[in-house]
């Protein structure tokens, strides 16, 4: 009979935007789990470590090597519980990851449920499920990201002050609203490579003071051009219309379905609804881009300024000793707990009415759950079934994240 608490082994993918070799936190954390055979190749990029039951890159039970989705499927009632099954079906409803980012990910959106269902029915090999994919990203250190649209007034200020951008306006003296912004994004994405390059060359010649508070555009433009090209329309969409944020460890963002985003650099904890659907339009070769019309039609305009992108933390009622905070995005599939302990400190998380996946990002200590004691240290990952309380005892500090549904 399967235990309610067991250690997982996970693996990393090798997207070219990942960090190389041991510079990748995703890889170094993944390599901490013993007896997996995972070895870091210094010539490869390691982008994401997945820690869920999604069959593309599934976690496995460490001792048996059995894939998590098979274990969950055979033990739904015990591991997920009736509440979770009734709400989300017989699967883990969230997918946690560690990402290590050396350059911009593709400029993308994750389609909403209605669109995902249509895309999955039409092309199930590309769109592998009918679900949506709202997500959070929590910085583990310095983290740069483009996410959501700027305030329309800030975008209009740019387009009014910078003559090279007039070519993207639907008409002169236009009053910026969301429909106009959608038209501008589509115009930029469908403009020829030559004109995209010309626009960027012209923008680089304009003095920084003409950009007002958005002078960072001139600092970032050469960097994006080097990472991809001067012909990439994503450079303009991201810099001109989207919020650019620099976050510190512990700070987080929430990205709803259909919201444009592109992570730029850093190490993060990411967690999302259980899906792998994405529409890419920039920071990638033209041949790899998805339909620009589909992308712009699906766009949502919330969040619509930098503050709306940010996701704060709060105290959690699930903590006994007050050492845990909670990220609670406006979605039903999961919340995320973060426990931070100094040497010798302890914490207990009350039993949760649903499944969880917990993982240590630093430190070491003991994990006590379901009558058993486990070693836990950075890189160790555990599945915890519904109805099980967990306690931590830190030896050398300990930071643990716990994604859960109920």
């Amino acid at each position: 009979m399967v235990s309610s608490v067991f250690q997982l082994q996970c693996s990393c993918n090798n997207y070219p935007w990942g960090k190389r070799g041991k510079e990748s936190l995703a890889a170094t954390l993944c390599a901490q789990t013993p007896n997996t055979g995972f070895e870091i190749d210094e010539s490869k990029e390691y982008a994401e470590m997945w820690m869920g039951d999604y069959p593309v890159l599934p976690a496995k039970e460490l001792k048996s090597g059995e894939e998590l989705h098979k274990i969950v499927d055979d033990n739904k009632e015990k591991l997920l519980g009736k509440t979770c099954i009734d709400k989300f079906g017989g699967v883990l409803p969230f997918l946690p990851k560690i990402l290590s980012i050396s350059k911009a990910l593709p400029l993308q959106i994750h389609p909403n449920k209605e669109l995902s269902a249509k895309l999955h029915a039409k092309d199930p090999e590309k769109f592998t499920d009918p679900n949506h994919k709202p997500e959070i990203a929590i910085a583990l250190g310095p983290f740069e990201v483009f996410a959501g649209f700027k305030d329309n007034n800030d975008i209009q200020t740019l387009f009014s002050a910078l003559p090279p951008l007039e070519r993207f306006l639907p008409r002169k003296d236009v009053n910026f609203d969301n429909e106009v912004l959608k038209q501008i994004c589509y115009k930029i994405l469908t403009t020829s490579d030559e004109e995209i390059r010309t626009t960027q060359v012209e923008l680089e010649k304009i003095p920084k003071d003409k950009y007002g508070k958005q002078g960072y555009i001139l600092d970032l433009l050469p960097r994006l051009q080097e990472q991809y090209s001067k012909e990439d329309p994503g450079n303009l969409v991201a810099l001109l219309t989207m919020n650019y944020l620099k976050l510190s460890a512990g700070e987080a963002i929430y990205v709803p379905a259909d919201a444009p985003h592109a992570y730029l650099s850093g190490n993060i904890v990411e967690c999302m609804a259980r899906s792998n659907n994405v529409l890419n339009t920039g920071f990638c070769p033209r041949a790899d881009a998805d339909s620009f019309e589909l992308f712009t039609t699906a766009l949502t305009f919330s969040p619509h300024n930098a503050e709306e992108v940010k996701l704060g933390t709060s105290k959690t009622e699930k903590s006994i000793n007050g050492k845990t905070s909670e990220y609670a995005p406006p979605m039903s599939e999961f919340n995320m707990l973060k426990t931070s302990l100094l040497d010798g400190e302890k914490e207990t998380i009350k039993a949760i009415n649903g499944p969880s996946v917990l993982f240590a990002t630093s430190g070491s200590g003991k994990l006590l759950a379901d009558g058993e004691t486990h070693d836990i240290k950075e890189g160790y990952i555990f599945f915890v079934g519904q109805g099980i309380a967990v306690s931590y005892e830190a030896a050398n500090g300990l930071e643990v994240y716990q994604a859960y549904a109920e």
Side-chain angles (χ1 to χ4, degrees):
M1 187 175 182
V2 67
S3 172
S4 290
V5 180
F6 49 88
Q7 191 170 357
L8 298 174
Q9 57 173 301
C10 299
S11 54
C12 290
N13 54 33
N14 305 104
Y15 295 133
W17 50 260
K19 295 185 179 183
R20 182 165 294 184
K22 291 186 177 66
E23 293 182 357
S24 169
L25 181 66
T28 56
L29 290 179
C30 189
Q32 290 294 327
T33 300
N35 305 318
T36 66
F38 178 81
E39 295 184 2
I40 298 174
D41 184 336
E42 290 297 333
S43 68
K44 292 184 177 180
E45 290 85 13
Y46 294 92
E48 303 174 325
M49 177 172 68
W50 290 27
M51 298 177 284
D53 70 344
Y54 202 86
V56 170
L57 197 66
K60 300 176 181 179
E61 201 272 330
L62 178 59
K63 291 182 179 179
S64 68
E66 186 174 7
E67 292 182 354
L68 180 57
H69 65 91
K70 295 179 180 178
I71 298 174
V72 169
D73 190 54
D74 290 340
N75 302 273
K76 296 185 186 71
E77 290 77 12
K78 178 177 181 178
L79 298 181
L80 302 181
K82 184 178 186 303
T83 300
C84 184
I85 293 171
D86 290 346
K87 289 175 69 173
F88 305 112
V91 295
L92 196 65
F94 55 83
L95 175 56
K97 303 178 182 179
I98 299 290
L99 271 63
S100 291
I101 306 152
S102 67
K103 67 176 185 178
L105 276 68
L107 176 60
Q108 60 190 255
I109 65 170
H110 302 302
N112 60 59
K113 280 188 177 181
E114 182 180 359
L115 180 55
S116 290
K118 292 177 180 178
L119 295 172
H120 176 65
K122 184 178 180 180
D123 188 357
E125 289 191 8
K126 178 175 175 60
F127 301 98
T128 52
D129 60 77
N131 201 18
H132 66 169
K133 191 183 173 185
E135 62 192 24
I136 66 171
I138 305 170
L140 293 173
F143 172 44
E144 295 177 282
V145 58
F146 294 109
F149 287 111
K150 301 175 185 177
D151 185 277
N152 280 338
N153 291 330
D154 290 338
I155 301 172
Q156 183 160 6
T157 297
L158 275 182
F159 278 77
S160 299
L162 306 176
L165 303 183
E166 291 179 1
R167 56 172 57 94
F168 302 121
L169 296 175
R171 57 191 178 278
K172 290 186 177 181
D173 301 321
V174 66
N175 184 38
F176 272 58
D177 58 21
N178 292 342
E179 185 56 39
V180 168
L181 181 52
K182 184 178 290 190
Q183 293 175 31
I184 289 172
C185 289
Y186 183 74
K187 176 67 174 177
I188 293 173
L189 291 171
T190 56
T191 293
S192 69
D193 288 357
E194 181 179 355
E195 198 163 2
I196 292 294
R197 170 185 278 270
T198 297
T199 301
Q200 294 183 53
V201 170
E202 292 171 348
L203 289 174
E204 289 176 305
K205 294 178 181 178
I206 297 175
K208 196 171 188 177
D209 61 2
K210 297 295 184 182
Y211 289 78
K213 66 180 182 180
Q214 300 178 71
Y216 66 85
I217 290 173
L218 288 180
D219 299 325
L220 289 175
L221 183 56
R223 182 173 156 197
L224 295 175
Q225 292 170 339
E226 182 180 359
Q227 289 182 3
Y228 292 95
S229 74
K230 288 188 176 183
E231 292 81 25
D232 196 313
N235 298 344
L236 297 180
V237 173
L239 289 171
L240 301 175
T241 73
M242 294 172 61
N243 300 299
Y244 167 66
L245 296 92
K246 298 174 72 174
L247 304 183
S248 301
E251 295 182 313
I253 62 170
Y254 168 65
V255 181
D258 298 333
H261 59 288
Y263 301 154
L264 187 54
S265 72
N267 295 310
I268 62 172
V269 170
E270 187 184 46
C271 195
M272 62 208 62
R274 188 182 188 274
S275 176
N276 196 35
N277 294 328
V278 62
L279 294 170
N280 296 324
T281 58
F283 303 148
C284 63
R286 289 265 189 178
D288 294 342
D290 292 297
S291 166
F292 297 139
E293 183 174 4
L294 183 61
F295 176 88
T296 51
T297 299
L299 283 174
T300 185
F301 296 93
S302 178
H304 217 325
N305 62 59
E307 288 305 310
E308 290 180 0
V309 178
K310 296 177 182 179
L311 177 67
T313 61
S314 60
K315 293 182 179 179
T316 176
E317 295 180 352
K318 300 190 182 303
S319 166
I320 296 294
N321 297 335
K323 304 295 184 180
T324 300
S325 56
E326 184 159 13
Y327 300 87
M331 54 186 289
S332 62
E333 283 86 351
F334 69 88
N335 281 7
M336 180 74 74
L337 302 175
K338 177 187 176 184
T339 300
S340 299
L341 301 177
L342 301 176
D343 294 4
E345 289 186 333
K346 299 179 180 181
E347 173 67 299
T348 295
I349 305 299
K350 298 175 185 177
I352 293 172
N353 191 29
S356 61
V357 172
L358 64 86
F359 47 97
T361 54
S362 64
S364 64
K366 298 293 184 181
L367 167 68
L368 295 81
D370 201 24
E372 296 185 354
T373 300
H374 307 265
D375 290 328
I376 185 169
K377 68 174 186 177
E378 62 180 49
Y380 279 27
I381 309 153
F382 291 84
F383 178 91
V384 180
Q386 59 88 24
I388 304 296
V390 298
S391 296
Y392 306 111
E393 297 179 357
N396 298 301
L398 187 63
E399 185 167 271
V400 180
Y401 289 84
Q402 183 172 356
Y404 74 90
E406 64 178 7

